Amino acid sequence: MDYEGNVTYLNPAASLKFPRLREIVKEHVILVELLHAVANQKDKSFVGEVEV
């Protein structure tokens, strides 16, 4: 994702698991929280980790 919430890359497994992710990114609970965290950070870089 870029800083505006646009999905810039999905690996093949993610594309199969989440076929509509590019369309619903701003409604997806985890991704909305990630965008919020990025918007409120002070540094220029961000690392997010999601464990499934």
Side-chain angles (χ1 to χ4, degrees), residues 1-50:
M1 287 175 40
D2 62 16
Y3 288 109
E4 285 77 42
N6 302 305
V7 176
T8 58
Y9 173 75
L10 283 176
N11 66 35
S15 295
L16 288 174
K17 184 72 174 173
F18 307 103
R20 294 187 52 238
L21 188 61
R22 289 182 194 272
E23 301 166 26
I24 63 165
V25 68
K26 294 189 178 171
E27 300 168 16
H28 192 282
V29 176
I30 294 172
L31 299 180
V32 168
E33 288 296 322
L34 179 61
L35 285 173
H36 180 71
V38 168
N40 292 316
Q41 72 177 353
K42 294 178 183 175
D43 298 327
K44 296 280 185 192
S45 63
F46 182 81
V47 175
E49 184 176 325
V50 177

